[in-house]
Each structure stands twice: as structure tokens, then as C-alpha cells.
Amino acid sequence: MTSEIPVYNPATEEIIARVPMMSRETIREIIGRTYDASSEVMAIPAYKRSKLLKEVARALRDQSDELARLLTAEIGRPIRSTKLIIERTASIYELAAQEISHVFSGEFVPLDLYDYPPGNENRIAFVVREPVGLVGAITPFNFPPDSMAHKVAPALAAGNSVVIKPSSYAPLTITRIVNIIKQTGFPQDAINVVTGDAKEIGDEFVDNPKVSLITFTGSSSVGLSLAGRAVAQGKKVIMELGGSDAMIVLEDADLSRAAQAAIIGRFDYAGQFCNATKRLLVRDEVFDKFVGMLADMAFNLRVGDPLREDVDLGPLISRDAVKLMDLFVKDALDKGGKVLFRYKEVPSKGFYYPPTIIEATRDARVLREEVFGPVLPVVRIKDDEDAVRVANSVEYGLDASIFTRDFARAYRLASKIKAGSVFINDTTRLRFDNLPFGGYKKSGIGRESVRDTMREMTETKVIIQSLI
Ligand code: NAD
């Protein structure tokens, strides 16, 4: 009998499904079949790949309510947002359908522009893109369908096949979407899903020469170790990793707007976003007024059953995640921090954690590590240099945001902050699927946008023709 992995509903602690714990042989066999299908995908004309991707988007919209409920059940994200997530996912497939014409436009280069090597007046060149072959994709628990879309849509658009490994916490929506893609007319083995021991699947992606590129979204520790080994095997990698985004509130900011952005930035989906606002840096002059506004807004958050339309925050993904929040808070208090706000009561069943705001000392773990839950550390800053120093003091560099009415000052600060995106007067918790997304330092390698990813998922080939 094959062993299985239970999948829990984090809001009820009940097992809602089981997925196979595949053996290494099964994983290898699936990689082999998917690799064989890559030549079939490659042979589909570009206009048809574009049509099929639009078909995937249509099928996702047709099944949107069912997919949103399944997603809420497996990751505990409130239903209001999971409906939007399915719409976003559909639009990523549409974006990939459109981008095919940009990425595969090709280039003709008359070589007589250069006098070296001699004889160039009798040569011309073509620069073309070709699919890499088989893509190995690994997704995190927190946004399965859209993270999958950022990998699978560009991979198929570029003419590759894909093996996807979802998080063991969240394999259900992804498996359902893989079946939807199979039904839209792509070859049966253009995409397959593997479930099982994460390390074993990662090792197989690295060691198996049939996998040409690994695209990973998840924690920095896992991603960087995987990337190092994959690159040593000559594979391409795209790594979207952790973050500890800072939000800077200057003394001339619109404090009400800034407080709303911080609340959404930290507490949406219980803070389980790579680009959640994980550190709040506030000018001394407005600190007390600002944290008062924050506490009032946090008081009005609705925590509870994520299937209810009026709920803002559901549970964390696991019991371990809840325990980790307690450790972070304890460490912050032991180091001299103080609790500024703690939510009244959360359901006792399910992996809930009360939204908490802490004035933290600079050596607290909450200001140095990635906190993946509803704990918001706030720290006082004295001037712009201090703000930049604290913002840059972590090993991550995903997003940051600055609240001020002075655009020139915001721009100067933005250019000194080491982060992949800097928002001015907006929350960090935004992502635009047509813009490059990714980070400095341990937040990633490369950038994901549908167009950037499609380029990365192709090889560039130069064909040089001698005219004699
Ligand atoms: P995780 O690193 O624990 O897991 C991510 C994926 O890697 C999962 O599918 C997991 O099963 C798999 N995995 C675990 N060990 C592995 C191994 N040894 N080899 C291969 N695969 C392995 O991360 P998570 O808890 O699922 O997600 C949260 C993390 O992801 C946070 O750090 C968050 O910031 C990051 N994240 C980043 C982005 C981004 O775009 N930058 C987006 C979402 C999440």
C-alpha cells in the first residue's frame, strides 16, 4: 500500500484529504514522462499555446467558486481573498498568452556594423529563443494557485513541460488546476504533479539531468541550498525567497493612510505573505500618536472562520507556526520590548494567533528574522539615516515602503534601501504580475514577472550565416 500525506484544514484541525507519499522511483518515472512530452509542447505553434492558455483562464473562472472554497479549506485564507486569488490566477495565464508575441519576437542582426572578426560584411545573424525543456517547479503553502501560475503559465507559454511539487500543506488546489490544464488541450504529460518527501523531490529535481530549470518559491534557507546544488549541476534557477519588509513612517506622513497600510500589510492573511509588512519604523515625533491609531484599527479586525465573508484574519497554517509566534513574542519581551496591543480573543479550535503589536528593541528576533504571522514589531527612529540603517539591517531585501508627503525625500530614501520594490505611500503587500518581483540579498535570485520568467525559461540561440 502506498503511504499518504494528510492535508489539514487549519481552521478546524480536521484532515480534509490525503495525497500520495510518492517513492523516488515514481517521482523519477513522472519526471521521465513529462520530459518526453516537452518535445510535444515545443511543437505546438505559438498562436495555439496562446489560445490554450486563454482556455485555462476561462476554465479557472468557470470553476472559481469551487476552487476558492477548496483553497480556503487547505490554507485558511479568508474566502473574500481566495475568490480574488482565483481571478488573479486566471489573469496570469492570460498575461502569459499575450506575452508570447513579445518574448518570441526574435532579432535579425546585420554583422557589418562591426569590423571584428574580419569579413563581417559577409555575415548575418539571427537571435532566437528556444524552450529550456523540462521545468521543475516548487511552490510554498501560502499562495498555491498564483505562485503555481507564475511558474506554469510562463513555462507552457515558452513551450516547456512542467513537473510541479506543491507544499504538503497545500497540494489540493494545485492538483485540481493541473487536471484543468490537462483538459484544455495541452498534451497529457505537459504538466504533472508530484507529492511526497520534500527533500527527496528537491534532490531528484537537482540530480535528474532531465530537469533543466528549477523555479522555487519558499524560505531562503531551503531555496538557497537548492539553488547552490542546482547551479553546480549546470541548471538554471529562479528563486523567490523570504522577506522582512520594512515600512518607514516619517513625521510628515498621512498617519491615517500609513496606519491602514500597516494593518493590511501585517495582518492580511494573518501575516503569511513574503511581502507582508514585517517591521514598522516610526519617527519618534509621531510614534505615540501613530501606535494609538494602529491599536484602534487592530481592535476592529475580525478574526475567525475564514469561510465567513466578513472575516479579515483566519488561522495560521499549523500548530508549529502558532508556537513560533509565542517564541518571537517572548524573546521580544525578554529583551525589554512591550506589548502595545494584543487582540482580545481568538477561536480555541484551529491554529489561530491573536494579532499583536510590540514596541521592540533593536536586538529582538522579530526585527532580525522573518516573522510569518500576525506579530508586528514597531521601532522608534530618529532621522532618515537611522531609518535606512534599520531597514537595511536584515539579511532580506524583498520590498519596503516609505510614508511621507515629500516625494524628493522619499525618492532619496528609496534609492538607499536595498529591496527589489519600494512603495511610496502604499503597503508592501502588493504585487503586480506584469512587473519584475524579487529581492536583494537572501530574498531571491532573479525576478519573476510573466515576461521575465518566460525569458528565463528559454535559452537564447544565435544562428550566424555566412553569405559566401
Ligand atoms: P518552505 O521553504 O518551508 O517550503 C516551500 C516549498 O519547498 C514547499 O513546497 C516545501 O515542501 C518545499 N521544501 C521544503 N524542504 C525542501 C527541500 N529540502 N528540498 C526541496 N523542497 C523543499 O516555505 P513555506 O513555509 O511553504 O513558505 C513560506 C516561505 O516562503 C516564507 O519564507 C516566504 O517569505 C516565502 N515566500 C516567498 C515568496 C516570494 O515570492 N518571494 C512568495 C511566497 C512565499
Side-chain angles (χ1 to χ4, degrees):
M1 205 183 90
T2 337
S3 60
E4 292 180 318
I5 308 170
V7 181
Y8 292 87
N9 178 333
T12 62
E13 304 185 30
E14 283 159 8
I15 294 177
I16 50 171
R18 292 173 197 276
V19 293
M21 172 68 85
M22 293 176 180
S23 68
R24 186 90 177 230
E25 290 65 42
T26 305
I27 294 160
R28 200 169 294 146
E29 184 270 319
I30 291 173
I31 289 176
R33 270 197 278 134
T34 319
Y35 172 81
D36 291 343
S38 60
S39 52
E40 288 175 63
V41 185
M42 205 178 291
I44 303 173
Y47 79 88
K48 202 167 167 202
R49 295 203 300 274
S50 175
K51 264 173 119 164
L52 289 173
L53 289 163
K54 288 183 192 151
E55 193 53 31
V56 173
R58 195 194 52 73
L60 289 170
R61 290 200 175 98
D62 281 353
Q63 299 181 38
S64 141
D65 282 351
E66 197 189 331
L67 288 166
R69 289 182 74 80
L70 181 63
L71 185 56
T72 292
E74 68 177 336
I75 67 167
R77 187 162 173 182
I79 190 80
R80 247 188 2 229
S81 356
T82 52
K83 285 180 182 167
L84 293 174
I85 290 304
I86 301 302
E87 173 51 37
R88 173 192 181 196
T89 301
S91 71
I92 296 172
Y93 285 90
E94 279 172 346
L95 191 55
Q98 288 163 22
E99 291 292 354
I100 291 181
S101 59
H102 294 288
V103 175
F104 286 98
S105 55
E107 209 182 334
F108 165 74
V109 188
L111 289 175
D112 66 349
L113 281 170
Y114 313 102
D115 64 359
Y116 184 86
N120 272 351
E121 54 274 30
N122 289 317
R123 294 189 187 102
I124 55 171
F126 303 93
V127 183
V128 295
R129 287 182 183 276
E130 292 178 352
V132 292
L134 173 61
V135 169
I138 301 180
T139 52
F141 79 81
N142 62 334
F143 58 122
D146 30 353
S147 178
M148 168 191 186
H150 264 293
K151 299 174 183 334
V152 169
L156 294 173
N160 299 296
S161 60
V162 194
V163 172
I164 181 156
K165 181 240 167 293
S167 161
S168 303
Y169 290 113
L172 305 179
T173 317
I174 285 184
T175 305
R176 189 78 60 89
I177 295 175
V178 165
N179 289 333
I180 289 174
I181 296 174
K182 282 175 183 283
Q183 284 157 19
T184 50
F186 277 106
Q188 271 309 293
D189 283 315
I191 178 161
N192 281 305
V193 64
V194 288
T195 52
D197 179 75
K199 184 174 180 314
E200 204 160 73
I201 298 173
D203 289 350
E204 187 60 33
F205 278 8
V206 167
D207 295 337
N208 194 319
K210 291 180 177 169
V211 178
S212 300
L213 179 149
I214 299 179
T215 168
F216 173 92
T217 298
S219 60
S220 301
S221 54
V222 174
L224 293 175
S225 145
L226 202 61
R229 289 179 294 131
V231 170
Q233 299 284 344
K235 294 180 197 240
K236 296 179 102 180
V237 293
I238 304 171
M239 294 284 143
E240 294 294 332
L241 309 177
S244 182
D245 296 357
M247 173 174 150
I248 298 169
V249 182
L250 298 179
E251 71 289 351
D252 66 341
D254 175 338
L255 294 186
S256 162
R257 190 182 161 90
Q260 276 163 18
I263 292 288
I264 291 175
R266 178 69 282 194
F267 297 120
D268 190 14
Y269 184 33
Q272 298 171 110
F273 282 97
C274 52
N275 58 348
T277 304
K278 293 179 184 145
R279 295 173 298 143
L280 194 46
L281 322 184
V282 183
R283 276 290 291 242
D284 220 359
E285 299 91 315
V286 291
F287 188 92
D288 293 333
K289 183 171 178 201
F290 185 68
V291 295
M293 292 167 92
L294 271 184
D296 287 346
M297 287 181 193
F299 179 82
N300 289 319
L301 288 167
R302 282 150 306 185
V303 181
D305 177 1
L307 277 172
R308 285 180 50 164
E309 290 278 350
D310 61 347
V311 151
D312 300 309
L313 264 91
L316 295 183
I317 194 67
S318 65
R319 174 77 56 213
D320 283 350
V322 171
K323 286 185 189 151
L324 192 55
M325 290 308 114
D326 272 334
L327 291 179
F328 278 130
V329 170
K330 183 175 180 312
D331 169 81
L333 301 184
D334 287 350
K335 288 185 173 137
K338 65 173 189 247
V339 173
L340 299 172
F341 171 82
R342 191 154 168 101
Y343 197 77
K344 35 195 185 299
E345 208 172 38
V346 292
S348 55
K349 188 146 197 199
F351 308 133
Y352 290 90
Y353 196 81
T356 304
I357 303 174
I358 296 178
E359 180 174 357
T361 56
R362 296 186 182 199
D363 55 345
R365 285 179 67 193
V366 279
L367 285 171
R368 316 216 65 84
E369 298 175 32
E370 180 177 35
V371 179
F372 223 59
V375 174
L376 177 59
V378 197
V379 63
R380 292 173 191 266
I381 45 160
K382 46 180 199 297
D383 53 31
D384 291 8
E385 285 66 39
D386 194 28
V388 170
R389 196 177 319 114
V390 179
N392 287 341
S393 65
V394 289
E395 54 185 17
Y396 301 104
L398 196 54
D399 293 356
S401 78
I402 302 162
F403 278 77
T404 171
R405 288 190 168 87
D406 180 342
F407 177 75
R409 189 176 170 200
Y411 186 78
R412 278 195 295 275
L413 283 175
S415 51
K416 289 180 183 161
I417 290 175
K418 304 214 174 303
S421 308
V422 181
F423 293 87
I424 298 172
N425 296 326
D426 222 329
T427 171
T428 58
R429 239 258 335 100
L430 290 173
R431 178 172 175 181
F432 305 90
D433 298 314
N434 58 345
L435 292 182
F437 181 75
Y440 282 45
K441 300 189 268 184
K442 290 190 180 172
S443 284
I445 303 174
R447 293 291 184 272
E448 252 186 9
S449 73
V450 171
R451 191 180 292 187
D452 287 301
T453 307
M454 266 175 85
R455 290 212 171 106
E456 204 52 41
M457 288 179 173
T458 57
E459 290 285 4
T460 302
K461 182 177 277 178
V462 182
I463 299 172
I464 301 136
Q465 165 85 45
S466 170
L467 299 176
I468 38 175

